[in-house]
Amino acid sequence: MSASVGEAAFALTLSAAVIRISVPYVLAALGGFWSERAGVINIALEGLLLMGAFAATVGAWFGHSALIGVTTGVLGGMILAGLYAWLTLVLRADQVVCGIAINLLADGGTRFFMKVLFDSSSNSPRVDAFDSLSRGGVAIHPIVLATILLVAVSTLVVYRTPFGLRLRAVGEHPEAAASLGISVSRIRLAGLLLSGALAGLGGVWLAADQRQFVAGMSNGRGYIALAALILGRWRPQTAALAALGFGAAEALQIALQTSGRSFERFGFALQALPYVLTLVALAGLVGRSIPPKALGRNEN
Amino acid sequence: MSPTDIGESTEALGCAHVWKRFGEVIANRDISLSIARGTVHAVIGENGAGKSTLMRGLYGLHSLDQGSVRIDGELIETPSVAASIKRRVGMVHQHFMLVPTLTVTENVVLGDEPVERGMLVLSRAEQKLIELGERLGLARDPALFRRRVGELSVGEAQRVEILKVLYRGAKILILDEPTAVLSPLEVDDLFAVLRRLRQDGSTIILVTHKLDEVMGLADRVTVLRRGETVLEVETGQTSAAQLAHAMVGRELAKSVRTTRQKTISPPTMRLKVESLSVRRSDGSLALDGVSFSIAAGEILGVAGVEGNGQSELALSMAGISTPERGRVRIDGQDVTALPVIARRRLGMRYVPEDRHGRGLLLDATVEDNFLLGVQEHYRRFGFVDRRRLEIDALERTKALDVRPPDLSAVARTLSGGNQQKVVIGRELAGRRDIPLSTLVCAQPTRGVDVGAIEKIHAEIERVRKDGAATLLISAELDELLALSDRIVVLFRGRIVGELEDFDQFAAGELKSRVGALMLGAA
């Protein structure tokens, strides 16, 4: 009897942990979806997450409000994505190189401004304003609800609206879109800004979850999200599912590690799972994952 | 003649004093044009003469350095695609501007989508398309519109391109080399559609380098050469010969082959193929027990309707695909199991039918493209001997008149004909260390103009004289007849006939015989 209660409690905390860990993956993957379907590789998701987390912390700290934090976090992501857009769409610089530069800039830049604002380059003070977000628990957390809604809305917009059709066309065959009077740059800019907003919101979650900003707190999540996007074949729902799967694997691994039993090795295997699955998907072992055709190619 | 001489009411599209430069190259030099409403106006010229550049400029795809454009008598200050579409000008591009992953309907409505409360309503567009398709005989099966463009045949894709333009209500159609990728039957269909459109009052600008198309369809023709207008006449007042002369700027050689007797006797068989069978990825047999041999200094032509095993034959000769059964020998050596590089070391060269996919690195320079497959030849202390490569590449581009004559140009920026000249220049180059023993030449002049064809044919003939055994696969019967010593006909993966000693046939008889064999009727 007591064993089954224990198991039920374990299952409950585990599913809460799955959601908690998956939210930034899902949001970043969705962000990646919007830029990659427009033909821009988004290796910068890592930096966008970090920027979102930092801007949210600063906003919530100085504004004494979670809502202000959410707003500045989303805007922060969009501003950094705007910089990425300027580099790739206006200056026509290589997308991957710029994406890595954005990540490095986000990492160094947040440390610098942390030092300036909070006199510590590693940790911000605790931001109590974030408490109001999680008052109702993880199940009715506004960002969780927003994430579910955003996945649905993304699917609807990309497959059923003129903007979505144009975005897909630009990602596959930009010359064809241009020959019909569609501005490739403008569509890609829109995709990137959406990307920044969504990944920024993912960063908000990271900061709100910890009640503070910690340097480098995105901790590779942007790359995992990119893997989820690939595994989900560049579709919002399947990418979100893949992100949820990665989140579940990670939650399980943490649970196993802290359970004190001898599952540690299995835990490490779980940790590697996202990367292994992504390689499998890219290698076409379980039905090839085909990227948008113009992905990574700048306009001439 | 100045374009202003023509009354405003009759002109559909015009331009005055158009200049366009790309770096050092002047693509359009002071071109003025006036196209009368309700006519088919052909713009012809060699590859790289500036036809496509001019059309793209008129349509607004790139800015003009100088000059102006008129649509329906209205002066367009800054031409743009949006302005052209608004004034009912549509363009069908040489390389299809279709998104393969989208459906036909999605491609057609792109940029001008029917919307209800923010959402796409494709059914409304489909209705309009079905009507349009039926009226013009462009698409009789409504199921077509739900299919993805990537699944369509080339002919179907082109009809979709035309539908796309007409859907937007275009009354002036610019078609840039529409027939380059079509089979003869599909060309007839296309021309029937164009005639119907002209009857309906549409104006058609046909960019091409095929003279029979001009003579058969156009009312008036403008000839461009090296970026300039050199001739503009009514089709009725000119001849194909005069147009060819204007295009190339000189007389064309009649034929490269004057004799067909074997130059080397007794014939030594250099390429020998024994009961070769190749399976496609879907499991069907592409080649079914094909045997032939080719002597030194001989050209064996392979005729056939596309898709009867020619592509697979070329790929298995080159060593790219592995045959299921059979043997291939070069100079007696069994090469069946040898990879591409080993065959090349034996002097085999390969002109692929798909120059974009296999012949060139499109994003590399012309010079680097001259290194492909012969990198061993230019090795010096483990590095590439750039100096020697440059000298050779320069000599070859000059010999074949590659335009622009710039080794640092990126291959993608060259016109199709000039890209093909680069492939030919590299593959057919003479090399002292490895003499060319066998040449596998697939569709060497596809989408290439008359001047370039002449150059390419001369190259093939030169290589033959030097003793190479050549396998020439071509969809152009005239080309096969002009170059080959013998012709075999492929039908459903088998050789169904062989013809030699062409002189025994009366004019036209040979062609009709081959044509019958191609359809499996003999």
Side-chain angles (χ1 to χ4, degrees):
Chain A
M1 185 73 186
S2 70
S4 76
V5 168
E7 273 165 28
F10 178 74
L12 206 63
T13 40
L14 185 64
S15 37
V18 169
I19 293 172
R20 204 174 58 78
I21 292 169
S22 299
V23 166
Y25 288 159
V26 174
L27 284 171
L30 206 55
F33 162 80
W34 278 108
S35 80
E36 299 224 332
R37 283 304 285 259
V40 184
I41 291 181
N42 209 336
I43 203 125
L45 286 174
E46 179 72 9
L48 296 175
L49 275 173
L50 197 61
M51 181 68 179
F54 176 73
T57 306
V58 173
W61 174 260
F62 290 103
H64 305 291
S65 147
L67 191 65
I68 291 178
V70 171
T71 313
T72 53
V74 169
L75 282 177
M78 290 177 82
I79 289 168
L80 195 60
L83 175 66
Y84 184 45
W86 180 67
L87 292 171
T88 56
L89 302 181
V90 180
L91 302 183
R92 310 268 156 102
D94 184 275
Q95 296 176 2
V96 173
V97 174
C98 288
I100 291 169
I102 290 282
N103 290 343
L104 294 173
L105 179 71
D107 190 52
T110 50
R111 282 174 206 271
F112 175 76
F113 283 105
M114 282 286 290
K115 185 82 186 159
V116 172
L117 295 172
F118 302 117
D119 199 30
S120 156
S121 63
S122 60
N123 290 66
S124 79
R126 187 188 150 87
V127 184
D128 294 323
F130 280 134
D131 288 342
S132 63
L133 280 175
S134 51
R135 204 167 290 144
V138 79
I140 57 155
H141 194 294
I143 296 181
V144 174
L145 299 178
T147 303
I148 296 167
L149 195 68
L150 284 167
V151 173
V153 170
S154 291
T155 310
L156 191 71
V157 170
V158 84
Y159 292 112
R160 300 290 306 277
T161 68
F163 171 70
L165 180 64
R166 291 174 187 199
L167 185 102
R168 283 182 287 146
V170 163
E172 292 286 339
H173 197 333
E175 296 82 10
S179 78
L180 295 171
I182 294 169
S183 164
V184 175
S185 295
R186 221 173 284 170
I187 297 277
R188 287 188 166 170
L189 175 65
L192 274 174
L193 291 180
L194 278 171
S195 198
L198 288 160
L201 188 60
V204 173
W205 174 275
L206 292 177
D209 192 43
Q210 304 272 314
R211 311 282 195 281
Q212 63 169 199
F213 180 83
V214 181
M217 74 188 302
S218 52
N219 198 19
R221 286 183 176 84
Y223 302 112
I224 300 266
L226 208 55
L229 180 64
I230 294 165
L231 198 62
R233 302 191 185 184
W234 286 271
R235 287 185 214 128
Q237 284 163 336
T238 43
L241 264 180
L244 196 64
F246 289 170
E250 193 178 322
L252 193 62
Q253 174 248 326
I254 293 168
L256 288 174
Q257 250 177 18
T258 52
S259 69
R261 290 173 224 171
S262 54
F263 286 129
E264 267 174 60
R265 278 196 199 142
F266 185 55
F268 285 126
L270 271 178
Q271 217 165 4
L273 193 68
Y275 302 102
V276 174
L277 280 179
T278 304
L279 284 176
V280 168
L282 277 177
L285 294 181
V286 281
R288 186 176 279 276
S289 198
I290 300 162
K293 202 148 183 221
L295 188 60
R297 187 153 55 83
N298 284 338
E299 252 187 303
N300 292 316
Chain B
M1 186 187 71
S2 142
T4 46
D5 293 347
I6 289 176
E8 263 189 18
S9 58
T10 62
E11 186 192 79
L13 185 69
C15 66
H17 309 293
V18 167
W19 287 76
K20 181 70 187 175
R21 264 184 211 86
F22 292 109
E24 302 278 293
V25 185
I26 300 176
N28 291 151
R29 188 193 294 268
D30 196 31
I31 295 181
S32 298
L33 208 59
S34 180
I35 289 148
R37 187 167 299 142
T39 63
V40 174
H41 191 119
V43 175
I44 64 170
E46 292 187 273
N47 294 123
K51 311 179 296 273
S52 290
T53 303
L54 180 64
M55 291 306 135
R56 291 167 65 84
L58 294 188
Y59 184 60
L61 274 169
H62 58 223
S63 60
L64 307 174
D65 293 343
Q66 260 179 68
S68 61
V69 174
R70 298 179 307 273
I71 303 175
D72 284 326
E74 181 192 349
L75 190 70
I76 311 296
E77 294 290 347
T78 46
S80 71
V81 174
S84 298
I85 291 175
K86 203 173 126 206
R87 288 169 185 79
R88 305 191 152 208
V89 179
M91 182 160 176
V92 173
H93 301 265
Q94 187 176 359
H95 302 289
F96 293 150
M97 291 294 181
L98 295 169
V99 185
T101 51
L102 300 183
T103 66
V104 169
T105 309
E106 285 175 325
N107 265 288
V108 168
V109 301
L110 187 62
D112 183 21
E113 302 87 353
V115 176
E116 230 165 63
R117 274 177 278 130
M119 296 289 137
L120 288 168
V121 270
L122 294 177
S123 53
R124 205 194 293 159
E126 247 162 51
Q127 213 54 48
K128 192 172 159 189
L129 280 173
I130 290 168
E131 281 169 35
L132 205 61
E134 270 185 9
R135 185 160 58 82
L136 291 163
L138 275 165
R140 291 183 180 90
D141 180 13
L144 171 80
F145 301 113
R146 298 273 168 96
R147 287 168 65 195
R148 281 182 203 283
V149 163
E151 300 164 5
L152 303 183
S153 72
V154 188
E156 285 171 322
Q158 178 145 54
R159 289 202 283 277
V160 172
E161 279 279 35
I162 295 174
L163 272 175
K164 189 168 88 176
V165 166
L166 296 176
Y167 175 81
R168 276 147 232 268
K171 297 298 282 177
I172 303 169
L173 277 77
I174 304 171
L175 293 106
D176 192 0
E177 310 225 6
T179 59
V181 291
L182 299 185
S183 70
L185 217 63
E186 288 170 325
V187 171
D188 291 346
D189 282 349
L190 173 68
F191 282 10
V193 170
L194 296 183
R195 288 199 182 94
R196 227 164 294 152
L197 285 170
R198 174 169 57 183
Q199 248 166 33
D200 289 357
S202 294
T203 308
I204 291 158
I205 300 149
L206 180 70
V207 176
T208 185
H209 54 243
K210 293 187 182 163
L211 295 170
D212 50 338
E213 293 175 358
V214 176
M215 299 309 289
L217 186 70
D219 301 298
R220 201 173 165 80
V221 53
T222 298
V223 184
L224 298 187
R225 188 168 74 226
R226 298 191 184 224
E228 284 180 286
T229 312
V230 290
L231 182 69
E232 191 178 329
V233 286
E234 297 288 325
T235 315
Q237 291 163 12
T238 184
S239 64
Q242 191 198 355
L243 292 178
H245 188 270
M247 268 169 75
V248 185
R250 60 187 157 78
E251 288 298 330
L252 285 172
K254 283 273 180 287
S255 170
V256 286
R257 289 302 291 270
T258 44
T259 57
R260 284 186 213 262
Q261 63 264 37
K262 306 279 185 298
T263 46
I264 299 167
S265 57
T268 48
M269 290 302 168
R270 300 203 80 162
L271 180 67
K272 225 172 161 169
V273 172
E274 295 156 24
S275 50
L276 192 74
S277 293
V278 175
R279 224 172 258 287
R280 297 190 181 92
S281 51
D282 67 1
S284 61
L285 268 182
L287 288 177
D288 186 5
V290 168
S291 302
F292 56 83
S293 30
I294 308 175
E298 187 186 32
I299 298 179
L300 176 68
V302 178
V305 176
E306 210 142 316
N308 277 287
Q310 297 94 319
S311 303
E312 290 82 0
L313 178 62
L315 290 176
S316 55
M317 287 297 107
I320 295 167
S321 65
T322 327
E324 187 174 76
R325 275 190 305 114
R327 296 253 157 267
V328 181
R329 288 176 212 280
I330 297 175
D331 290 328
Q333 188 180 341
D334 188 342
V335 300
T336 319
L338 290 187
V340 178
I341 189 76
R343 296 185 193 207
R344 293 188 75 96
R345 283 184 194 132
L346 291 172
M348 173 177 270
R349 297 292 158 69
Y350 170 49
V351 176
E353 61 178 3
D354 170 16
R355 58 176 165 259
H356 283 181
R358 295 195 187 276
L360 293 166
L361 286 179
L362 286 174
D363 291 313
T365 62
V366 169
E367 183 176 310
D368 284 350
N369 270 291
F370 267 93
L371 188 63
L372 297 183
V374 285
Q375 58 273 27
E376 290 182 338
H377 180 76
Y378 291 103
R379 188 154 55 194
R380 188 163 169 264
F381 307 126
F383 292 92
V384 173
D385 188 348
R386 281 274 161 196
R387 218 167 54 90
R388 202 149 53 84
L389 175 64
E390 195 188 329
I391 292 168
D392 286 0
L394 207 61
E395 189 231 324
R396 294 298 285 157
T397 47
K398 247 188 210 147
L400 279 151
D401 190 23
V402 175
R403 278 177 245 160
D406 175 12
L407 290 183
S408 64
V410 174
R412 191 185 291 281
T413 61
L414 265 53
S415 70
N418 285 301
Q419 289 174 345
Q420 186 69 3
K421 286 185 196 167
V422 172
V423 176
I424 295 279
R426 178 185 70 218
E427 293 299 309
L428 274 61
R431 299 192 196 288
R432 267 157 281 114
D433 49 350
I434 318 168
L436 212 163
S437 64
T438 38
L439 173 64
V440 178
C441 204
Q443 316 292 357
T445 60
R446 175 176 283 171
V448 165
D449 66 66
V450 283
I453 289 174
E454 186 193 23
K455 288 248 161 39
I456 291 170
H457 283 182
E459 279 287 302
I460 294 172
E461 170 61 8
R462 179 183 59 74
V463 166
R464 182 198 68 80
K465 272 195 193 144
D466 288 348
T470 302
L471 181 71
L472 176 68
I473 301 169
S474 176
E476 302 282 336
L477 207 46
D478 287 324
E479 176 166 80
L480 290 175
L481 293 173
L483 292 172
S484 314
D485 296 277
R486 284 182 295 141
I487 289 179
V488 293
V489 182
L490 269 184
F491 181 70
R492 296 196 180 149
R494 290 167 190 248
I495 292 179
V496 292
E498 181 173 339
L499 295 121
E500 54 187 331
D501 194 9
F502 302 155
D503 297 336
Q504 64 175 313
F505 299 100
E509 192 196 343
L510 191 60
K511 264 189 166 180
S512 59
R513 270 194 190 215
V514 177
L517 286 168
M518 281 165 68
L519 295 170

